[in-house]
Amino acid sequence: MEAYLDNSATTKPCKRACEAALRTMENDFGNPSSLHKKGFDAMQILESARGVIAKSLGVDPERIFFTPSGTVANNTAIFGAVELMKRKGNKIVTTAFEHPSVARCMDKLEQSGFEVVRIAPDESGNISEEAFQNAIDEKTVLVSLMAVNNEVGTVLPFDKIKRIIKRKKSPALLHVDCVQGYMKLPVKPERCGIDLMSVSAHKIHALKGSGALYIANGVRIKPYVLGGGQENNICSGTQAMPNIAAFSAAVEELADIEKRLEKVTSLNEYFKSELEKIDGVKINSPDNALPYIINASIGAVPSQVSVNYLSSRGVYVSAGSACSKGHRSDVLVSMGLSPERIDSAIRLSMSYETTKEEIDYALSAIKSCLSELSKK
């Protein structure tokens, strides 16, 4: 038996997505920028997919721009927003536990002379509205935060930030990295006042190599990727049509967000209750985390040792973000956890396809891992 519990790193493509990609590769392989029938056919698929993504977010299709990944969407949003807004101030507010595709952008902007305020979570992994209230001011030109933390599952107050920005009379644009929250939470950017929002296909049972950026009406960021002017100049480069077709198909497949959330919540409650019964295991995710993600420290067993041991038994987990190999988790460090607890932490991330049998199998393997590898 196997138990795949690394869905925050990537998900297994659903059958509908695979079929859409194959159909596009075999039949509709034209370049959507080409002015002939094959090009027109590809363009129809592109615009249909744009409509599907837009509908899932409750926005107009012209507000959706395809990118090669969530990382490119984040970079495009952040650098584009700062270039647009830099004459109005030099302060950026973000959090101390962002994904590397945001955190490294912030490092670069700080080196360029911007003031970057990184709000740290408390020990439970949460960040309050008040923390943003205290950080945002009239000099702030960008607020960038994730909807859901990719390592511990914290749901940030992204839907409250625009009100704070207005209250503080700040000109700031609001960017939300929704890669881990998309199609798991019912996020509607217009209702929340979000100016820019990034999503990714391979986190929702589609293929790697496609993402999208929502840009609110009236927000005209400057392009970060230059070239042939595709996606209305927002992200140049020939669109990866099989990936985009698969992206659209997966969104349609996952339309019932609440039903899947209910199922995964039940699995999460069972999983955590059983983990807490194991001597030496400590849960690092906050109680109010998105139920798809559980971060736990496994006794005194180093994270990578646990990952390797569990993998040898067909249980697939990670030692943190798949984009941050080889060093101590910035997320857990920002929460102020002890080095011992950080160094033994693993992330168990589920999908709507996860079963109780997989969880039971994983629990058995974790118990064996502790029994065989814990320091005596």
Side-chain angles (χ1 to χ4, degrees):
M1 184 176 179
E2 291 187 329
Y4 182 74
L5 296 171
D6 199 20
N7 289 279
S8 287
T10 198
T11 52
K12 178 183 177 180
C14 65
K15 183 178 180 181
R16 190 167 174 177
C18 293
E19 290 174 346
L22 182 60
R23 185 168 58 249
T24 304
M25 285 188 283
E26 290 182 336
N27 302 319
D28 300 301
F29 51 83
N31 187 324
S33 297
S34 295
L35 300 178
H36 49 60
K37 186 177 184 304
K38 281 294 183 187
F40 293 145
D41 290 345
M43 178 59 76
Q44 284 186 314
I45 293 171
L46 178 66
E47 295 311 315
S48 174
R50 198 184 310 280
V52 169
I53 308 303
K55 183 179 178 181
S56 73
L57 297 173
V59 301
D60 292 333
E62 59 266 27
R63 306 321 321 151
I64 300 298
F65 303 87
F66 287 109
T67 65
S69 64
T71 290
V72 173
N74 279 335
N75 275 249
T76 300
I78 291 167
F79 289 119
V82 166
E83 184 65 22
L84 175 67
M85 302 295 292
K86 63 184 180 182
R87 291 179 180 82
K88 297 184 178 181
N90 74 329
K91 184 176 179 181
I92 301 169
V93 174
T94 186
T95 80
F97 65 177
E98 292 297 310
H99 185 271
S101 64
V102 169
R104 299 295 79 79
C105 291
M106 296 302 166
D107 293 344
K108 184 173 181 178
L109 288 167
E110 192 169 44
Q111 291 164 9
S112 300
F114 283 88
E115 177 190 0
V116 179
V117 176
R118 300 172 178 84
I119 303 173
D122 59 28
E123 192 169 338
S124 73
N126 285 301
I127 298 178
S128 67
E129 292 177 50
E130 289 74 19
F132 287 97
Q133 175 82 23
N134 293 334
I136 296 168
D137 60 23
E138 294 179 0
K139 296 188 301 178
T140 307
V141 293
L142 175 66
V143 179
S144 179
L145 72 159
M146 53 194 357
V148 176
N149 182 267
N150 56 302
E151 288 191 39
V152 296
T154 302
V155 180
L156 280 82
F158 62 89
D159 55 335
K160 309 294 196 306
I161 303 302
K162 196 64 175 185
R163 290 205 300 259
I164 295 173
I165 290 172
K166 290 180 177 179
R167 194 180 308 135
K168 299 301 285 283
K169 295 182 172 56
S170 169
L173 293 178
L174 172 60
H175 167 244
V176 175
D177 172 1
C178 200
V179 167
Q180 291 292 343
Y182 182 50
M183 301 307 294
K184 299 182 182 76
L185 293 173
V187 181
K188 303 298 182 187
E190 288 184 350
R191 294 181 191 171
C192 303
I194 295 170
D195 297 300
L196 303 152
M197 191 170 87
S198 313
V199 298
S200 177
H202 76 102
K203 309 293 189 181
I204 63 159
H205 301 275
L207 307 183
K208 302 169 189 68
S210 183
L213 177 62
Y214 159 79
I215 304 178
N217 188 33
V219 175
R220 294 178 174 81
I221 64 171
K222 297 189 177 182
Y224 177 64
V225 178
L226 304 178
Q230 291 87 349
E231 297 302 300
N232 200 25
N233 278 315
I234 292 298
C235 191
S236 290
T238 302
Q239 295 92 339
M241 291 309 305
N243 298 352
I244 290 171
F247 192 2
S248 171
V251 169
E252 291 180 322
E253 180 74 15
L254 303 182
D256 195 341
I257 292 175
E258 294 296 342
K259 182 178 179 181
R260 288 181 291 105
L261 186 59
E262 182 179 351
K263 178 193 173 183
V264 176
T265 298
S266 177
L267 289 172
N268 173 283
E269 291 171 352
Y270 172 73
F271 204 171
K272 284 202 299 189
S273 68
E274 294 300 311
L275 282 169
E276 289 170 340
K277 294 176 185 176
I278 302 173
D279 189 34
V281 172
K282 294 180 179 178
I283 305 295
N284 300 320
S285 293
D287 293 338
N288 57 348
L290 185 74
Y292 286 82
I293 299 173
I294 300 174
N295 191 293
S297 294
I298 309 298
V301 182
S303 302
Q304 196 55 53
V305 174
S306 296
V307 170
N308 294 341
Y309 179 95
L310 294 172
S311 179
S312 72
R313 283 152 177 77
V315 178
Y316 307 113
V317 305
S318 74
S321 170
C323 302
S324 301
K325 294 180 181 178
H327 73 278
R328 186 170 282 164
S329 164
D330 291 336
V331 172
L332 301 183
V333 169
S334 73
M335 289 168 58
L337 301 185
S338 69
E340 294 76 19
R341 192 160 165 179
I342 294 171
D343 291 344
S344 64
I346 61 173
R347 181 184 64 186
L348 308 142
S349 49
M350 296 177 283
S351 81
Y352 75 99
E353 294 182 331
T354 302
T355 65
K356 183 175 178 294
E357 289 72 25
E358 286 181 291
I359 291 172
D360 285 334
Y361 184 67
L363 287 164
S364 176
I366 290 170
K367 291 175 185 176
S368 296
C369 177
L370 273 167
S371 175
E372 294 181 29
L373 301 179
S374 289
K375 295 176 182 179
K376 304 298 182 183

